[in-house]
Amino acid sequence: MAPKKIIIDTDPGIDDILGLLLALSATPEEVEVLLISLTFGNIEVRSCLRNVVSMFHILEREMQWRREQGRPEGFGALRASPPVVAVGAEDPLEDQKMLADYFHGTDGLGGIHASHPHLTPKETWEHLFDPSADPVEVKPVPTGNPSRPSFIPSKRRAHEEILRVLRENDPDTVTLVAVGPLTNLALASAADPETFLRVKEVVVMGGAVNEPGNVTPAAEFNAYADAFAAARVYALTSPSPKSTTPANSSLPDYPTNLSKQLTLRIFPLDITLRHGVSRGQFREAVTPLLEKGSPLAEWVSAFMAHTFRTVEKLHTGRVGDDVELSLHDPVCVWYAITADDENWKPSQTSPEDIRIETTGQWTRGLCVIDRRNRHRIEGDEEHSSDHGLWLSSRAGNRVWRMDASPVENNFGAVLLDRLFT
C-alpha cells in the first residue's frame, strides 16, 4: 500500500512542532511529507522558519545520538524523503494581524533560542530561502550524512509550492493538513482554483462550534487570525462558492463553474480539546532520555516546560502533574496518517453549512451554523425569508466536522511513543 502523501501548512508554534515531529516520525510506508509550507500565525513567519530549521537540526543530532546508543534511528518518513520547506504569508488577507506569542513565547517555542542557544543552529541558512539571492532553485540542504539531505529549501512562495505539488501529483492523492491561519490556502486557491481542487482533502485545525473560543469568547485562534482566508477556503465546499465568499475580499472571485467541490474536514476545539498530554505523563516519558543525553528530549522538554507553566497560569482547576496541553495540531496530523481507521467519525449532521464570520465587531472568526428548524428552499436566488441563502439546497458550504477519534483516551501516550521510542 502506497504511503499517504501530505502537505503540512503550519505556523510553528509548540503544538505545530509536535505535529511536524509526529508526521516525520512515521514510517515511509505510512506517510510521505511532500511540503512544509509556513505562514504567520502563532508568531511572525520568519520565526516560524527558524523553528522549523531548528527542528531539523535537532533531529539530525537525535538520529546520530540514537545510532551511537545502538537504538533505531526512527523518523523513517524524514529519512526516506526530505520535505520541501517554503515560506509563505506574512500577514492576513484583510484583517489586523494578531499573533499568539502570549502563549507560545515571542519566538514561538517559549524563548528557547535565548535560553538554550546551543540547541539553535547558526543562521547561515537564511539565504537558502531568499529569492533575490540567486535564481529560484530547489536543492537539498547537506547534512552530516552527505547521502541524505534533511530538508529542501524553496525560494518560491508557499502558496506557489502548494500548487506545484498538486500539479505534479495525481488528482486526489495529496492531503493538505492546515494547522495555522488559512492564508496560504486562500492565496493558492485564488491563483489557480482548479489546480487547488486536485487536492484529496483539506484537513483544518480551526473553529469552535459548541465550545467557547480560545482567543475571543466566540472564536478559535486560526479562524480569527485570518477570517477572510478561512471564509474563502470554506466557500470552495459550496456548490455555489459565490454564495459564501466574502464580498469585500481583495482576492478575485472564484469562477462560476468549477469542476468539483472541495472536501474540507475541520477539527474544531470541540474535538481537539479532548486530546491532550499531561505534565506528569510527559515527564515520565522524557526524564530517562534526558538522563541519557537525548538532544530531542532536551529540546522538547525546554519548550514544554514553558508551555505547562503558561497553561497553569491561564486555566484554573489543574496544577502540577495534572496540567494538560491540548494537542490541537497533532490530532490533525494523526488523522492524515490514520484516516483509514473507521473510528474517525464526523458529526451526524455532516456535511454542514458552516460559515466563518469576517466582519463582526465581536464575532470575527465565529463559526456560524443555522440552528433554526426551517424548510429548505429550492433555487439559488435569495428569498425574502432566507437572507444569506441558508435554506437553499444549491448554496451554502458543505463542511465535514470531525467529532470522534480512535485516540481520544490515549493520544498523549501515542504521541510520546512515536516521538521518543
Side-chain angles (χ1 to χ4, degrees):
M1 188 171 173
K4 295 180 174 66
K5 297 179 179 182
I6 65 173
I7 296 169
I8 302 178
D9 190 78
T10 176
D11 57 336
I14 288 157
D15 58 326
D16 303 75
I17 286 289
L18 295 176
L20 289 170
L21 290 171
L22 180 61
L24 297 172
S25 70
T27 67
E29 295 76 25
E30 287 177 316
V31 73
E32 180 182 1
V33 183
L34 302 175
L35 169 66
I36 298 171
S37 55
L38 302 176
T39 177
F40 83 95
N42 290 320
I43 46 173
E44 299 285 359
V45 73
R46 301 307 295 189
S47 294
C48 293
L49 178 59
R50 178 169 64 166
N51 292 344
V52 166
V53 173
S54 295
M55 177 190 71
F56 285 114
H57 170 74
I58 290 296
L59 286 177
E60 289 175 25
R61 291 175 54 183
E62 175 72 9
M63 288 186 285
Q64 180 181 347
W65 175 80
R66 291 184 184 185
R67 288 193 297 271
E68 293 169 353
Q69 292 277 313
R71 297 167 179 255
E73 283 183 65
F75 296 94
L78 172 60
R79 289 186 287 117
S81 182
V84 173
V85 176
V87 181
E90 298 177 2
D91 299 289
L93 295 181
E94 315 289 341
D95 298 316
Q96 180 180 358
K97 181 157 65 176
M98 175 186 174
L99 305 175
D101 50 6
Y102 66 91
F103 183 86
H104 296 267
T106 54
D107 67 357
L109 293 177
I112 194 172
H113 301 296
S115 64
H116 295 68
H118 61 289
L119 298 177
T120 301
K122 294 180 180 178
E123 296 189 6
T124 56
W125 42 263
E126 287 193 312
H127 71 283
L128 299 170
F129 298 89
D130 181 2
S132 66
D134 52 58
V136 172
E137 190 173 3
V138 176
K139 291 182 179 179
V141 171
T143 66
N145 182 344
S147 66
R148 187 181 71 213
S150 180
F151 66 92
I152 302 172
S154 174
K155 297 178 188 296
R156 298 184 185 93
R157 302 295 294 167
H159 74 275
E160 296 170 344
E161 281 292 354
I162 290 171
L163 293 172
R164 178 192 64 79
V165 169
L166 294 175
R167 285 189 195 103
E168 293 179 359
N169 287 273
D170 291 338
D172 300 317
T173 60
V174 177
T175 295
L176 205 171
V177 183
V179 293
L182 298 185
T183 318
N184 287 333
L185 280 68
L187 292 170
S189 61
D192 191 339
E194 288 295 348
T195 295
F196 187 78
L197 290 172
R198 290 169 65 93
V199 72
K200 180 179 180 180
E201 62 181 0
V202 173
V203 177
V204 171
M205 192 282 119
V209 177
N210 297 311
E211 286 284 334
N214 62 0
V215 68
T216 73
E220 176 276 330
F221 176 79
N222 288 337
Y224 182 90
D226 196 341
F228 277 88
R232 285 188 61 94
V233 174
Y234 280 40
L236 285 171
T237 69
S238 175
S240 173
K242 69 177 182 179
S243 67
T244 61
T245 302
N248 50 348
S249 172
S250 60
L251 295 179
D253 292 337
Y254 294 123
T256 53
N257 296 311
L258 292 171
S259 61
K260 60 182 287 193
Q261 294 164 232
L262 176 68
T263 300
L264 180 71
R265 206 171 288 274
I266 69 166
F267 285 72
L269 294 180
D270 307 61
I271 184 171
T272 62
L273 286 171
R274 304 200 298 264
H275 298 74
V277 61
S278 72
R279 181 189 266 148
Q281 191 178 19
F282 179 81
R283 179 176 45 76
E284 185 177 337
V286 171
T287 298
L289 297 170
L290 281 172
E291 293 170 351
K292 291 181 172 66
S294 159
L296 182 62
E298 182 184 4
W299 190 62
V300 176
S301 292
F303 64 73
M304 288 294 279
H306 161 88
T307 306
F308 287 126
R309 287 194 302 270
T310 303
V311 172
E312 202 166 16
K313 291 176 185 175
L314 289 174
H315 300 282
T316 60
R318 292 192 179 186
V319 296
D321 279 356
D322 291 334
V323 172
E324 186 171 272
L325 172 69
S326 296
L327 299 170
H328 305 289
D329 298 343
V331 175
C332 297
V333 172
W334 189 241
Y335 168 79
I337 297 171
T338 65
D340 298 332
D341 190 320
E342 62 184 13
N343 291 306
W344 289 108
K345 296 186 185 300
S347 67
Q348 292 184 349
T349 50
S350 287
E352 299 173 80
D353 186 2
I354 301 176
R355 309 186 194 183
I356 302 294
E357 174 59 51
T358 57
T359 57
Q361 180 179 2
W362 309 116
T363 56
R364 166 180 155 188
L366 171 71
C367 286
V368 183
I369 298 177
D370 189 353
R371 302 180 192 273
R372 301 171 296 176
N373 184 17
R374 299 277 292 277
H375 291 295
R376 307 297 292 180
I377 297 175
E378 290 301 317
D380 54 8
E381 295 296 325
E382 197 163 73
H383 189 272
S384 59
S385 66
D386 181 31
H387 181 67
L389 292 169
W390 287 94
L391 301 174
S392 169
S393 59
R394 284 182 272 175
N397 295 333
R398 306 287 191 272
V399 175
W400 294 89
R401 174 169 63 90
M402 300 307 291
D403 194 43
S405 90
V407 288
E408 283 185 28
N409 298 320
N410 67 333
F411 187 48
V414 171
L415 178 79
L416 294 170
D417 183 65
R418 284 270 173 156
L419 267 53
F420 294 110
T421 302

